[in-house]
Amino acid sequence: MSAPAAAVVARQRLRVGMVGLGGIARRVYLPVLGTRPDLDLRVCTRNQAVLDDVCAAYRIAHGYTELSAMLAEGLDAVFVHAATGAHVDVVRAVLEAGIPVYVDKPLAADVDDARDLVELARRQRTSLFVGFNRRFAPAYRALADEEFSCAVMQKHRVGFPDDARRVIFDDFIHVIDTLRFLIDEARLVDVHSVRIAGDLALVSVVLAGPGRVAVGVMNRDGGATEEVLEIHGPGVKTSVRDLTEVIEDREGRREIRRLDEWTPVEERRGFVAMCDFFVDAVRAGYRLDAGDALRTHELCDEVLRAVSARTP
């Protein structure tokens, strides 16, 4: 490559920050973003030992233990993978610096905080994007254009009842958002829940939209950790199991398709396409608005209030 060409490539590299280097960052986002030659990745965590390990593993030259120091260097975008409780302060700081933000779901565990951040992004005229990866998962995206009248999504865990707000905003939010992705103008129709020793063990909802109905169920005290999404249309039922297996029953005939076992999990679960979408928007100067993600948070708040109103 000639010197002028190399200079062009260097100018095109985006300076991207990553805040929070916990499990999701190390399992998914560092493998996806840390190997991209078009990104100049900088990372931030308060844990010096973790920072040193990550910088060495991915040959990252810029590591920080303070967010303010990283923002002062000048960035084109920031990915936020900190704990949910830190989202509000971190996202606000990045938005106030005028830098596009990608943040893991939930944007915040309180709908008023989420609404404030969306409004701040709009005032700043800066992108705010919430990472709902299932919208980008190949097996789920393929269902979006299918003709159907009913969708059923189950997402279960083994022995993990927990505080109702954490269950709904940190986990069940995936069910709500995926069903919203499939059903236009979804509204909440019904909520049922079961508690064990005060913790939320099971929650189910019914959503409805024009010509369609959806049921979402999560059992946190079940016998298996699994995720199943079904759509029912005229003469056809399509099921997706754990984002890897598609079972289509059409007028009594069954076809089973599985994703290539060599397909990386971050691609199978939509993270690669989702990161590409955000990075491409930043590069093109296209501003992303989190208003649709906010609607998911508002529905979660409706579910939480309904669950909280029930006698434990």
Side-chain angles (χ1 to χ4, degrees):
M1 182 182 295
S2 66
V8 170
V9 171
R11 286 197 300 271
Q12 290 176 340
R13 294 183 76 204
L14 295 181
R15 298 161 299 170
V16 173
M18 182 181 294
V19 182
L21 301 178
I24 189 66
R26 300 180 85 167
R27 286 196 304 270
V28 174
Y29 289 101
L30 282 166
V32 171
L33 301 174
T35 57
R36 288 184 57 152
D38 62 327
L39 303 182
D40 176 7
L41 188 63
R42 291 105 186 276
V43 293
C44 180
T45 177
R46 292 180 179 178
N47 189 317
Q48 186 67 57
V50 169
L51 184 65
D52 292 342
D53 287 346
V54 167
C55 287
Y58 289 90
R59 299 182 179 179
I60 296 172
H62 304 279
Y64 307 86
T65 57
E66 295 294 336
L67 175 62
S68 58
M70 185 174 76
L71 297 180
E73 295 292 327
L75 298 171
D76 297 302
V78 171
F79 283 74
V80 177
H81 310 305
T84 298
H87 282 186
V88 174
D89 289 342
V90 173
V91 172
R92 181 185 291 118
V94 180
L95 288 174
E96 288 176 346
I99 301 171
V101 184
Y102 171 121
V103 58
D104 285 326
K105 63 76 199 166
L107 176 55
D110 181 272
V111 70
D112 290 332
D113 287 336
R115 190 175 292 114
D116 288 345
L117 291 176
V118 172
E119 292 173 355
L120 173 60
R122 290 170 177 171
R123 291 196 303 271
Q124 292 289 94
R125 301 187 62 79
T126 301
S127 282
L128 176 59
F129 180 79
V130 183
F132 288 111
N133 60 293
R134 283 156 179 80
R135 291 187 174 219
F136 294 84
Y140 284 2
R141 288 189 70 84
L143 301 181
D145 296 326
E146 296 291 327
E147 182 181 355
F148 67 93
S149 57
C150 176
V152 180
M153 186 171 181
Q154 304 176 62
K155 189 174 186 293
H156 304 308
R157 292 180 179 269
V158 177
F160 200 27
D162 201 356
D163 172 77
R165 182 177 293 275
R166 276 196 298 271
V167 170
I168 292 168
F169 273 88
D170 275 1
D171 201 359
F172 195 61
I173 193 170
H174 275 307
V175 176
I176 295 291
D177 189 73
T178 302
L179 294 177
R180 283 197 61 245
F181 169 66
L182 294 172
I183 298 181
D184 294 332
E185 301 174 28
R187 68 184 187 280
L188 185 65
V189 175
D190 198 13
V191 179
H192 286 276
S193 61
V194 174
R195 291 178 184 265
I196 295 177
D199 286 333
L200 187 60
L202 184 146
V203 57
S204 68
V205 299
V206 177
L207 304 176
R212 288 178 171 176
V213 66
V215 177
V217 183
M218 173 172 285
N219 183 5
R220 302 272 289 199
D221 192 38
T225 295
E226 64 176 0
E227 180 172 326
V228 181
L229 175 61
E230 299 177 354
I231 61 169
H232 300 259
V236 63
K237 168 190 170 185
T238 304
S239 304
V240 179
R241 290 186 170 275
D242 295 320
L243 295 162
T244 60
E245 182 181 74
V246 180
I247 304 169
E248 185 177 279
D249 293 290
R250 185 178 295 274
E251 297 178 345
R253 297 186 301 275
R254 170 165 288 190
E255 178 183 353
I256 300 177
R257 302 185 300 275
R258 294 180 177 85
L259 290 182
D260 187 335
E261 63 181 8
W262 292 101
T263 302
V265 65
E266 54 266 25
E267 182 177 336
R268 186 168 67 241
R269 301 186 74 83
F271 288 100
V272 172
M274 186 166 58
C275 290
D276 286 347
F277 176 79
F278 177 73
V279 169
D280 289 347
V282 171
R283 193 180 298 281
Y286 180 79
R287 182 163 61 91
L288 300 172
D289 184 88
D292 187 66
L294 177 61
R295 179 56 186 148
T296 292
H297 289 68
E298 290 171 340
L299 274 177
C300 285
D301 187 64
E302 290 183 44
V303 173
L304 177 63
R305 285 188 278 115
V307 168
S308 300
R310 295 180 181 274
T311 303

